[in-house]
C-alpha cells in the first residue's frame, strides 16, 4: 500500500528541522510567533518517529510473520549508506573532531545511549541511533503482538506514552536537569527509551488505519490540526520532544492518509512526492552541507550574512540531497539487499 500524499509531509518536517538548526540571526527569527515555532521545530524528529511506526505497519500488515534477517537487511540497506555519507561530509570541514572512539560510537549507532555523546560528529545521527532500537524490536512486536491481534499492546503503549510525558516534564523542572548543552539535557531529549512510545503509538495508528481506512475529504480537519500544532508550539510551555505531539501528529497522519480532498491532490503531485523521497537525505546531511557551504562562501566570496547564506544553502541542500538520493541512497539500497551474506 503506497500512500503518496503522506510522503511530502516528511519534507515539511525535515525543512522545519533544517531551519531550526540554522543561525538564529535568520529573518524568520525576527518575527514574533514564527520565531517561537521554529525554535521548537526540532519536534519534527518526533513526527519522523511516529510516522516510522505507522509506515512499518502499512508496509508489513499483510504478512503473517516477519523474517528477522530480511527485515534487518532491508532497514540497514535503507538508512545506513547515507548515514555514513553524512559522517564523511562532516569530516570535510570538521576533520579535527575525528577520533576512533567517536567514530565507533557513530558508526555503531549507539551514541544516543550515552548521555554526553549523543550529538557527536554529525549530530542529526542521534535519531538514527533511536531508529536502530525501533528496528530491533519491531519484528518481535509484529510477530507476537500485532499480527496476533493482541489488545494488551494498546494499553501498554498508552501507559508508556503517558509515563514518558509525565517523567519528561517533571525531570526538566527538577534539580536534576542542568539545562541545554549538558548531559542531563541529552539524557532527557535523546536517550532512545524515551522515544519508544512514539514508535508504539505510530504503530498502533498504522493498525487502526489498515483496519478502519475510510476515504473522505478531510481538508478542513487537516488544516485545523496543523493550526493546532503551530499554536501548541507557541503557547504551551511543555516538553514536546518525547512524543507529546502525538495527540496532533497521529490524527494528522491518519487523516492525510485517508484524505481524498484537495490537499491529497496537491501533496501527491510528483515533484512534491519527490521532495518527500529525498527528505532523509536532507535531514542526515543538512549540517555538514551547511558547514561546508559556510566555509566555501566565506573563503571565496566573504559572504557570511545569515539571510544571504540561507537562500543559497536551501538551494544547494535540495540539489545535493536529490543527487545523493538518486546516486547513493537508491543504488546502495538495491545493492545491499542483493548481497549474499545478507541472505
Amino acid at each position: 500500500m503506497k500512500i503518496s500524499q503522506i510522503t511530502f509531509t516528511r519534507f515539511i518536517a525535515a525543512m522545519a528541522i533544517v531551519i531550526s538548526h540554522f543561525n538564529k540571526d535568520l529573518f524568520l527569527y525576527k518575527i514574533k510567533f514564527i520565531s517561537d515555532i521554529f525554535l521548537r521545530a526540532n519536534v519534527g524528529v518526533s513526527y519522523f518517529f511516529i510516522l516510522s511506526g505507522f509506515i512499518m505497519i502499512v508496509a508489513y500488515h499483510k504478512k503473517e510473520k516477519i523474517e528477522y534477517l530480511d527485515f534487518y537487511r532491508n532497514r540497514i540497506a535503507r538508512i545506513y549508506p547515507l548515514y555514513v555519507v553524512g559522517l564523511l561530509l562532516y569530516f570535510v570541514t570538521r576533520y579535527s573532531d575525528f577520533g576512533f572512539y567517536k567514530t565507533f560510537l557513530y558508526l555503531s549507532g549507539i551514541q544516543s545511549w550515552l548521555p554526553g555523546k549523543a550529538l557527536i560528529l554529525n549530530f542529526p545521527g542521534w535519531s538514527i541511533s533511536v531508529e536502530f532500537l525501533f528496528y530491533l524490536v519491531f519484528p518481535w512486536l509484529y510477530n507476537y503482538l500485532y499480527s496476533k491481534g493482541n489488545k494488551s499492546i494498546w494499553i501498554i503503549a498508552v501507559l508508556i506514552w503517558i509515563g514518558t510525558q509525565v517523567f519528561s516534564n517533571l525531570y526538566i523542572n527538577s534539580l536534576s536537569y542542568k539545562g541545554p548543552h549538558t548531559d542531563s539535557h541529552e539524557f532527557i531529549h535523546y536517550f532512545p527509551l524515551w522515544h519508544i512510545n512514539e514508535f508504539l503509538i505510530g504503530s498502533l495508528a498504522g493498525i487502526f488505519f489498515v483496519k478502519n481506512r475510510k476515504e473522505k475529504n478531510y481538508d478542513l480537519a487537516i488544516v485545523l490540526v496543523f493550526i493546532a500544532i503551530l499554536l501548541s508550539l507557541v503557547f504551551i510551555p511543555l516538553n514536546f520532544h518525547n512524543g507529546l505531539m502525538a495527540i496532533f501528529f497521529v490524527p494528522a497522519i491518519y487523516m492525510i492518509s485517508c484524505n481524498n480532498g484537495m490537499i491529497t491532490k496537491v501533496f501527491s503531485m510528483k515533484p512534491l512526492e519527490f521532495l518527500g523521497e529525498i527528505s532523509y537525505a536532507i535531514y542526515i546531511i543538512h549540517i555538514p552541507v551547511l558547514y561546508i557551504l559556510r566555509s566555501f562562501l566565506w573563503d571565496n566570496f566573504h559572504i557570511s550574512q545569515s539571510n544571504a547564506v540561507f537562500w543559497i544553502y536551501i538551494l544547494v541542500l535540495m540539489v545535493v540531497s536529490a543527487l545523493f538520493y538518486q546516486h547513493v541512497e537508491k543504488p546502495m539500497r538495491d545493492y545491499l539487499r542483493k548481497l549474499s551474506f545478507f541472505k
Side-chain angles (χ1 to χ4, degrees):
M1 185 188 300
K2 184 177 182 181
I3 313 172
S4 299
Q5 65 269 27
I6 204 70
T7 304
F8 178 63
T9 66
R10 291 164 46 194
F11 173 77
I12 297 174
M15 289 307 300
I17 296 167
V18 168
I19 295 172
S20 76
H21 289 161
F22 197 79
N23 195 320
K24 300 305 181 283
D25 292 333
L26 184 65
F27 70 96
L28 290 171
Y29 290 96
K30 307 299 182 183
I31 306 171
K32 184 60 177 173
F33 300 131
I34 299 295
S35 174
D36 295 334
I37 291 170
F38 281 112
L39 286 171
R40 290 182 162 186
N42 58 359
V43 75
V45 179
S46 181
Y47 180 80
F48 284 146
F49 291 158
I50 294 170
L51 185 61
S52 179
F54 180 86
I55 294 299
M56 287 288 182
I57 292 295
V58 172
Y60 288 94
H61 75 279
K62 292 185 177 180
K63 288 183 174 293
E64 292 186 8
K65 182 179 181 181
I66 294 176
E67 295 296 332
Y68 288 86
L69 291 182
D70 286 345
F71 178 81
Y72 296 143
R73 176 195 66 203
N74 290 336
R75 299 320 301 168
I76 290 173
R78 168 69 177 83
I79 70 169
Y80 201 73
L82 278 186
Y83 182 64
V84 175
V85 167
L87 178 64
L88 297 176
L89 288 176
Y90 178 89
F91 283 143
V92 171
T93 59
R94 295 294 189 275
Y95 47 84
S96 60
D97 287 350
F98 174 79
F100 288 107
Y101 178 59
K102 289 182 179 179
T103 304
F104 168 75
L105 291 181
Y106 183 92
L107 291 178
S108 61
I110 62 174
Q111 68 271 41
S112 295
W113 291 95
L114 306 172
K117 305 297 182 183
L119 303 183
I120 58 169
L121 305 179
N122 181 30
F123 67 79
W126 79 266
S127 65
I128 307 303
S129 180
V130 177
E131 289 278 359
F132 283 166
L133 172 62
F134 298 164
Y135 299 159
L136 182 65
V137 302
F138 180 75
W140 183 87
L141 288 171
Y142 186 88
N143 291 342
Y144 294 98
L145 296 174
Y146 298 151
S147 66
K148 298 183 182 303
N150 192 319
K151 297 297 190 296
S152 64
I153 188 61
W154 291 80
I155 299 174
I156 294 171
V158 171
L159 290 177
I160 292 175
W161 181 82
I162 293 173
T164 302
Q165 307 321 309
V166 172
F167 175 78
S168 296
N169 284 280
L170 288 177
Y171 183 87
I172 283 180
N173 290 286
S174 72
L175 296 177
S176 298
Y177 181 67
K178 306 302 180 183
H181 311 298
T182 65
D183 290 358
S184 63
H185 182 83
E186 291 198 6
F187 169 70
I188 201 58
H189 284 85
Y190 308 127
F191 193 65
L193 290 182
W194 306 143
H195 296 283
I196 197 70
N197 75 93
E198 295 159 297
F199 187 69
L200 291 175
I201 292 295
S203 298
L204 296 183
I207 292 173
F208 182 83
F209 169 76
V210 298
K211 292 184 176 181
N212 303 277
R213 184 180 186 182
K214 297 178 181 179
E215 287 195 11
K216 58 184 291 188
N217 190 329
Y218 286 102
D219 282 350
L220 178 59
I222 292 169
V223 171
L224 291 176
V225 169
F226 183 70
I227 293 173
I229 291 171
L230 299 183
L231 292 176
S232 298
L233 294 177
V234 173
F235 295 109
I236 298 181
L238 295 174
N239 174 38
F240 296 101
H241 200 70
N242 295 350
L244 181 62
M245 293 298 282
I247 56 177
F248 295 125
F249 288 159
V250 166
I253 290 170
Y254 175 80
M255 288 189 293
I256 293 172
S257 299
C258 294
N259 189 42
N260 60 12
M262 183 57 66
I263 289 177
T264 287
K265 293 178 182 178
V266 173
F267 282 14
S268 297
M269 294 171 63
K270 289 302 180 181
L272 298 190
E273 185 179 357
F274 181 74
L275 290 177
E277 294 289 351
I278 68 172
S279 61
Y280 173 54
I282 290 171
Y283 173 76
I284 205 65
I285 70 169
H286 77 275
I287 290 300
V289 167
L290 178 60
Y291 291 163
I292 294 169
L293 183 64
R294 277 178 174 165
S295 178
F296 175 81
L297 291 176
W298 175 251
D299 292 344
N300 294 277
F301 304 102
H302 294 288
I303 297 175
S304 61
Q305 202 271 338
S306 290
N307 293 335
V309 172
F310 175 74
W311 295 113
I312 300 171
Y313 169 53
I314 294 301
L315 176 60
V316 170
L317 181 61
M318 295 298 101
V319 172
V320 173
S321 297
L323 290 173
F324 279 145
Y325 171 72
Q326 292 284 16
H327 301 291
V328 177
E329 183 178 346
K330 287 176 64 178
M332 286 300 296
R333 178 183 61 202
D334 295 338
Y335 173 73
L336 290 176
R337 284 174 175 174
K338 295 176 182 177
L339 289 181
S340 58
F341 62 80
F342 273 127
K343 297 180 179 179

